[in-house]
Every structure is written in structure tokens, then in C-alpha cells.
Amino acid sequence: MKFSKILFLILSVVFISCNEKKSGIIEEITPKDFAEKIKTTENAQILDVRTPEEFESNHIDNAVNVNWNGDDFETKVAAYDKSKPVFVYCLSGGRSKKAAAKLNELGFTTIYELEGGIMKWNAEGFSKPSTANAGMTIDEFNNLLKTDKKVLVDFYAEWCGPCKLMEPYLLKMQKEMADKVVIIRIDVDKNETLATQMKIEQLPTLILYENKAEKWKNIGLIKEKDLKKQLQ
């Protein structure tokens, strides 16, 4: 009887051990720490998990595009060394969190996720000026605010899902409320320097100005009726 109990315990421990999943380390770190760790890591594995269009517009040096929303994400990451650190980032952190969790599930031992994504990376000055699309200057932007009307600035990107959802009613309001509000839409991919100076870290970002002073700010999707309330 005692032997049977001991054997049962041994088999239970073996069964549990065999079925335990190895869990790696996921660290969400600031752009500064992200940059420093890349420098001190030989042949750093840097994964940009955004879309190819986003990657083409601007990316961290030596990063490789592995689209989180693509059908071949797992197939592509299988080519990387799981025992070595892997650096992951997206636009602002949403997709990189999911990608980091998947990498952990697949057996990667050390995963560094960029806090705030490449938008925060750019906002804190880690992008190279030569790779950024200059576009509108801060002085030109400030000149747009010189009006007796309210000014709503919409920072967006063509690949941004919520931005596309908001575009139809923003364009409609642009015409219908022209006597009260000036609505300006700024593509961050074509105005990267301005977006960095304005510390735009997530999309869409709406900023309402009155007499050149910021009165209201919204990050993310907002419904048409709620936006109209802010503008009236």
C-alpha cells in the first residue's frame, strides 16, 4: 500500500514536470533602456511587428518586419534563436504585447518589449532625423492656429484602423461646421518631425485649440456624436 502511494506521487511529479511550460521573461522597457540593450546585445534580434506599410515609413535600425497580423507570424519567428534576447515593438504597444506573449508561449527565453512603441521611441528622440519625413514645421503648425475659430487637429495615418473609421464624419464635419471650427488632418507618416515634437505617441490623436491654447485632447476612437459635443 505504501509502495503504491509512493509510486503514485512519483508519477504525479513526473507528469506535472513534463507538462509544465517553460516560461520566459517578458520585460516592457523604456525607449532609453531598449536602445541601450540593443547596443550591448551582439547581433540583436529586433522584430517590428507592424504592417509592411508602417515598417516602410519608419523603423528602428536593423529591425526585421514580422507582421503580427500576418498569417505567417509563427513561421517567420521560428527562424530566430529562442535562447537569445529578442526585441519587439509596434506602433504604440498593443500588438507588441500580443506578440511578446506569443513568443513566450513559443519558448523564447528573454523578450524585451518597447514601452509605448515606435511613437514613444520617436517622441523621445531616438529616431534618426535623416530617416524621418520632415513635412510641416512647428512654426507652420502654429500659424494654422491663428484664427478666431476653434481648431481641431486630427493626427492620423492611412494604415490606422480607428483613423479610417473616423475619417468619413471628420470630413463631413469639416464642411458642415466650417463657420465655427477649422478641422485640420495631419498624416504622421508625412509629418514625422512634427509628430515627434508634438509628442504624438498614439493614433488617432485629436487636439482642440481655442485662441491657440489647447482646450481638449482625445486619444483613440471617439464616436461622431461625442466629438460633436466637444466642438459645439
Side-chain angles (χ1 to χ4, degrees), residues 10-56:
I10 292 172
L11 290 174
S12 296
V13 171
V14 171
F15 179 79
I16 291 169
S17 298
C18 289
N19 284 278
E20 276 185 345
K21 290 184 178 180
K22 291 183 179 178
S23 181
I25 299 172
I26 301 176
E27 286 188 51
E28 185 181 25
I29 56 178
T30 65
K32 181 181 179 182
D33 290 337
F34 199 78
E36 289 177 353
K37 285 189 179 292
I38 287 175
K39 285 181 183 178
T40 56
T41 301
E42 187 177 356
N43 299 320
Q45 303 180 123
I46 311 169
L47 305 185
D48 183 321
V49 300
R50 300 175 298 160
T51 64
E53 292 79 14
E54 292 174 87
F55 181 79
E56 284 300 319

Side-chain angles (χ1 to χ4, degrees), residues 13-154:
V13 171
V14 171
F15 179 79
I16 291 169
S17 298
C18 289
N19 284 278
E20 276 185 345
K21 290 184 178 180
K22 291 183 179 178
S23 181
I25 299 172
I26 301 176
E27 286 188 51
E28 185 181 25
I29 56 178
T30 65
K32 181 181 179 182
D33 290 337
F34 199 78
E36 289 177 353
K37 285 189 179 292
I38 287 175
K39 285 181 183 178
T40 56
T41 301
E42 187 177 356
N43 299 320
Q45 303 180 123
I46 311 169
L47 305 185
D48 183 321
V49 300
R50 300 175 298 160
T51 64
E53 292 79 14
E54 292 174 87
F55 181 79
E56 284 300 319
S57 70
N58 183 26
H59 59 264
I60 294 174
D61 284 349
N62 301 316
V64 177
N65 186 212
V66 185
N67 184 6
W68 167 249
N69 292 323
D71 297 329
D72 55 354
F73 180 81
E74 288 191 35
T75 303
K76 286 186 174 180
V77 298
Y80 294 88
D81 191 336
K82 295 179 181 179
S83 66
K84 293 181 179 179
V86 61
F87 298 82
V88 187
Y89 72 91
C90 64
L91 177 70
S92 59
R95 285 168 287 179
S96 62
K97 284 194 188 314
K98 295 176 183 177
K102 174 57 71 174
L103 291 170
N104 183 37
E105 182 185 312
L106 294 173
F108 284 81
T109 55
T110 306
I111 304 153
Y112 295 116
E113 183 199 353
L114 176 59
E115 178 187 284
I118 198 167
M119 294 199 78
K120 190 168 185 178
W121 174 272
N122 290 340
E124 295 192 7
F126 288 96
S127 61
K128 290 184 178 180
S130 59
T131 64
N133 296 317
M136 188 185 299
T137 66
I138 193 69
D139 287 336
E140 289 171 334
F141 176 80
N142 288 331
N143 284 332
L144 295 175
L145 305 180
K146 293 179 180 179
T147 173
D148 55 355
K149 300 177 184 178
K150 293 179 182 178
V151 178
L152 178 70
V153 182
D154 168 35

Side-chain angles (χ1 to χ4, degrees), residues 158-225:
E158 293 295 338
W159 41 261
C160 167
C163 300
K164 287 185 177 181
L165 290 174
M166 292 167 57
E167 182 177 14
Y169 55 81
L170 277 168
L171 293 177
K172 185 173 68 172
M173 288 184 205
Q174 203 172 42
K175 295 178 180 178
E176 293 178 350
M177 305 182 75
D179 59 328
K180 298 178 181 178
V181 185
V182 177
I183 297 178
I184 300 165
R185 305 188 70 233
I186 297 177
D187 187 333
V188 296
D189 285 337
K190 296 177 181 177
N191 298 276
E192 291 180 7
T193 300
L194 178 65
T196 297
Q197 292 173 322
M198 296 286 295
K199 298 189 182 300
I200 304 300
E201 298 180 358
Q202 296 181 57
L203 297 178
T205 292
L206 296 175
I207 306 176
L208 181 64
Y209 294 89
E210 193 168 356
N211 297 321
K212 296 187 287 185
E214 183 180 319
K215 293 297 182 181
W216 174 78
K217 186 175 185 178
N218 182 82
I219 296 173
L221 181 68
I222 183 171
K223 294 180 180 179
E224 181 178 0
K225 62 178 182 179

